[in-house]
Structure formats: structure tokens, C-alpha cells
Amino acid sequence: KCIIKSGGVAVSDISISVLMPVYNSEKFLEETVQTVINQSYTNWELILVDDGSTDNSKKLCDELRKKENRIKFIDKKNTGVSDTRNVALKNAKGQYVVFVDSDDLIHKDYLKLLVNSMNKYNTDLSVCNFIERKISSTGKVDDINREFCPKEVMEMSEMKDYIMDFGNSGLLNPLWNKIYKREIIENNNITFDEKVETGEDFIFNLQYFRKTKKISFIKEMLYYYIRRNNNSITYKYIENMYEKGWEIHWLLESFLKDMGFYNEENAYVLYGNHLTGVFSAFLNLYHDHCKLTSKEKKAYIKKIISKSYVKECAANRKKDKGIIGLTSFLVRMNNTLLISAAFKGISLARKVKA
């Protein structure tokens, strides 16, 4: 059950709905919301949906709503980020929709440039570049520019030659570097899958892309994706990581085939991406929170390297260097003990480096 507390903006006048799930974000929420309030484009509503926070976030949301009549606050029990985003979508009234995470920041022209790009080229989706900002526990800031802008506007049919570069640039997966048409989302019943633990944003995007005819790209860095103290999923233990990765891989491969984007070049990139996933799944076994015994870990490794598709990936990417080349070599060696020893060592080296 949700409790909705609203500001006072006339529904028909709203251009953009900014959807922000909130969960235990009291340290960062005010600064994030302030970057929305500071937007040069002013025709927006901000929907804050608190997912049963146990800190002061709920109170902060209500205080922010009272100060700004374009803010709507929805208070609900904890059900996870996918359901929280679905609740936000159901309550959105804007012609367009953007998603902002409650601990990130946006450029003052984020909304203006996204909506202008969409209107200028009459596209169904507009995508901006972003900055990935890593903040260490000591406060050291490291900015990485994430860019993909092959041209200002592109028909979806042209995407065949760019889709894998788009994916590997880091710009395809997230929600927050894009502006969507609410009409497309509602007419096609596009929602977030509440059963999925990782990759729910990517799955949402694939559903949306299937209904997209034209995309525009913006070269400006308009979003600041902030990773604090290695809080990324990269550093968490994920149960059944390989199986979850395989599900995402299968969805992408199906998407490529359905859209007519599947060809030799894209299959080659998929091989590499899958081997990177295999590497992560092996490393995940030697995370401190993994409860599997040594015997169970080796059995899990054996199960992965016995898969025909994994063997196919390894055979097709054996000339590679780095993570892909190493994983290809280890799979082709077909030696569970060797893989186990290698990833114990890699895991230890990463801990020492951290």
C-alpha cells in the first residue's frame, strides 16, 4: 500500500516526470534533489518513491515536498527497486520520463538538452554521455568519461553496426542517461521485472528499444554516476552469478536476432562479452561471502567449462589478450584445479591491492 503526498502542479502542464526511487539515501538525497530543482528546464515533476527506508530518508522526502510544489512523495513498504520504479511510472504524468538515482547528480542542462534533442529530431529516445565518478573511502575522486555518440540521430535499423559498441561503451544498460516517451512505455506495457535481481534496467531498455524507431545522441556529459567506497555490484557476492549472466546474455542474443542485428561481427563480440562474464563468475566464487565448499566450487567451475557455448566462445577468442584471452585459455585447458588456483590467486591479489 502506498501513501501519496502531492505538490500542486496542474497535471496537463507537465512535460517531464523525473522518477527517483529512494532507499536509505539520507546522506545524498538533498544534494541530488537540489540538482533537479536547479534545472534550466523548469517544466517537470519529481516523484520521490521511498522503498521502506530505515534511515531518515522518508522524513527528508516529505520536507522536500513541502518546500517545492513540483515534488510528489510516495511512501511504500520495502519491495525492491523494480517495484519502486513501477510505482513511480504508474504515477507519472509527464509526456516524457527520466530516471535519476537518489545518490547521483545531474548537470543543470540535463533535462533541457535531452528533451530538445528528442524534439529536434522527433526521436523515441535520446541518450547522453555521462561521468562515472569513483569516490574512495579516503575521499579521493576519480572521474571517467563514458561516451558513445556515433552521430546525432540514427534510425533503429542502422543500429546493427553500432549496437555492440553501444553496449560495451556502458551507455546502453543504464536508465538515467536517457529520456523516454511515457506513451511508448504505457502503450506497450513496458515495466520492470520484479523477479530479476540484476540487470532489470537493461531488460527494461531492451523492451523499449523494440518499440523505438529513431534514437538521438548527445555528446555532452549530463549525468554523474557516483560510486562510493566500491559500492558497485562488481564488489558484491552474487549467488548463481553465471546463471543470472546467462539470462541477460540470452535476452540480448534474442533481441539481436529479432531485430535483424545478429551477424558474424556481433556474434564475435558476444563471445568476448560472455567470456568476461565467465571470468566474473569464477572470481565471484572466491569472494569472502561465498558459502560454497572447495569441492562445490570446483563442481561449479566444471559445470561452466563443460557448456558447449562456453567452449565455442573460448575457441573463437583464443587470440585475445587480457581477461578474454586468459578466460579462453583456461576454458580450453579444461582443468578445474588450474582454474580454481588461478582465481584464488586473482582474488587474493585484488584484496591486497584494495
Side-chain angles (χ1 to χ4, degrees):
K1 192 179 177 182
C2 303
I3 299 166
I4 302 171
K5 298 178 182 179
S6 184
V9 187
V11 167
S12 59
D13 299 341
I14 298 166
S15 174
I16 304 173
S17 293
V18 181
L19 310 184
M20 191 181 295
V22 177
Y23 182 71
N24 291 352
S25 312
E26 65 174 357
K27 288 182 188 170
F28 317 110
L29 183 62
E30 281 185 277
E31 189 183 6
T32 303
V33 169
Q34 195 58 49
T35 65
V36 178
I37 293 168
N38 294 346
Q39 287 297 294
S40 56
Y41 186 91
T42 57
N43 188 356
W44 51 262
E45 64 168 355
L46 170 61
I47 303 179
L48 300 170
V49 187
D50 186 83
D51 186 30
S53 291
T54 55
D55 66 357
N56 211 27
S57 297
K58 201 173 292 190
K59 187 172 173 234
L60 269 175
C61 286
D62 207 29
E63 284 170 7
L64 290 161
R65 175 193 65 83
K66 286 171 186 169
K67 287 181 195 167
E68 170 58 69
N69 71 348
R70 289 172 293 179
I71 295 177
K72 184 189 286 181
F73 167 45
I74 300 173
D75 178 13
K76 58 183 268 301
K77 67 177 186 183
N78 180 253
T79 53
V81 71
S82 289
D83 179 55
T84 303
R85 287 193 182 124
N86 286 335
V87 167
L89 273 175
K90 276 177 201 153
N91 286 277
K93 302 291 183 243
Q95 185 183 351
Y96 304 106
V97 168
V98 298
F99 296 90
V100 176
D101 283 356
S102 60
D103 54 356
D104 290 337
L105 301 170
I106 54 175
H107 186 280
K108 68 180 176 61
D109 294 327
Y110 169 78
L111 294 178
K112 181 175 84 174
L113 292 178
L114 281 170
V115 79
N116 283 357
S117 169
M118 208 176 214
N119 288 333
K120 181 182 176 182
Y121 297 111
N122 190 28
T123 61
D124 298 320
L125 183 75
S126 188
V127 182
C128 69
N129 292 327
F130 69 90
I131 290 169
E132 182 177 339
R133 176 166 291 173
K134 296 179 183 178
I135 304 175
S136 73
S137 49
T138 59
K140 181 176 173 284
V141 175
D142 184 22
D143 280 355
I144 303 162
N145 289 357
R146 298 291 184 196
E147 301 174 75
F148 181 78
C149 188
K151 45 171 86 173
E152 279 190 27
V153 64
M154 193 185 294
E155 297 288 334
M156 198 62 187
S157 55
E158 294 176 73
M159 192 52 87
K160 177 192 272 192
D161 300 326
Y162 298 98
I163 190 76
M164 301 311 288
D165 288 338
F166 188 16
N168 289 339
S169 70
L171 270 79
L172 187 152
N173 290 30
L175 302 163
W176 31 251
N177 65 329
K178 300 174 181 71
I179 187 166
Y180 306 84
K181 284 184 175 170
R182 185 165 66 91
E183 183 183 36
I184 291 177
I185 293 169
E186 288 190 355
N187 288 353
N188 297 286
N189 197 26
I190 300 169
T191 58
F192 292 92
D193 188 339
E194 291 161 33
K195 300 187 294 294
V196 175
E197 290 174 53
T198 54
E200 68 289 334
D201 39 6
F202 175 64
I203 296 167
F204 179 91
N205 281 333
L206 287 189
Q207 290 180 81
Y208 191 90
F209 291 161
R210 286 175 183 271
K211 305 299 175 186
T212 299
K213 291 185 175 69
K214 206 162 35 165
I215 302 179
S216 50
F217 294 92
I218 300 169
K219 64 180 186 297
E220 285 84 3
M221 308 275 169
L222 299 178
Y223 194 93
Y224 297 83
Y225 165 50
I226 301 175
R227 287 169 52 180
R228 295 176 176 86
N229 305 330
N230 295 343
N231 65 349
S232 159
I233 198 161
T234 333
Y235 300 93
K236 289 181 193 163
Y237 172 68
I238 300 169
E239 204 172 336
N240 299 319
M241 188 183 202
Y242 178 78
E243 288 76 11
K244 286 168 185 169
W246 173 255
E247 184 69 20
I248 298 292
H249 173 96
W250 181 82
L251 285 167
L252 176 57
E253 191 174 312
S254 302
F255 170 78
L256 294 174
K257 287 175 177 172
D258 292 347
M259 299 293 286
F261 295 168
Y262 193 80
N263 56 24
E264 207 173 299
E265 290 84 356
N266 290 345
Y268 182 79
V269 179
L270 273 179
Y271 288 145
N273 289 1
H274 196 70
L275 287 174
T276 304
V278 169
F279 178 93
S280 299
F282 287 161
L283 190 59
N284 186 59
L285 291 172
Y286 297 94
H287 192 288
D288 289 343
H289 295 155
C290 180
K291 301 280 196 295
L292 299 179
T293 64
S294 179
K295 190 179 177 182
E296 286 169 335
K297 286 175 186 176
K298 289 186 183 98
Y300 193 73
I301 292 167
K302 185 74 182 165
K303 187 174 86 171
I304 293 171
I305 62 173
S306 300
K307 288 186 178 291
S308 58
Y309 183 71
V310 174
K311 289 177 183 174
E312 188 183 329
C313 293
N316 280 282
R317 298 298 299 255
K318 59 185 174 190
K319 290 180 182 172
D320 280 75
K321 292 183 170 63
I323 283 173
I324 293 171
L326 172 64
T327 312
S328 167
F329 170 75
L330 291 170
V331 169
R332 284 180 290 114
M333 287 298 99
N334 196 29
N335 186 322
T336 308
L337 283 171
L338 175 67
I339 294 169
S340 176
F343 281 90
K344 259 186 209 165
I346 293 166
S347 178
L348 193 61
R350 286 199 167 190
K351 280 178 200 162
V352 170
K353 194 180 172 188

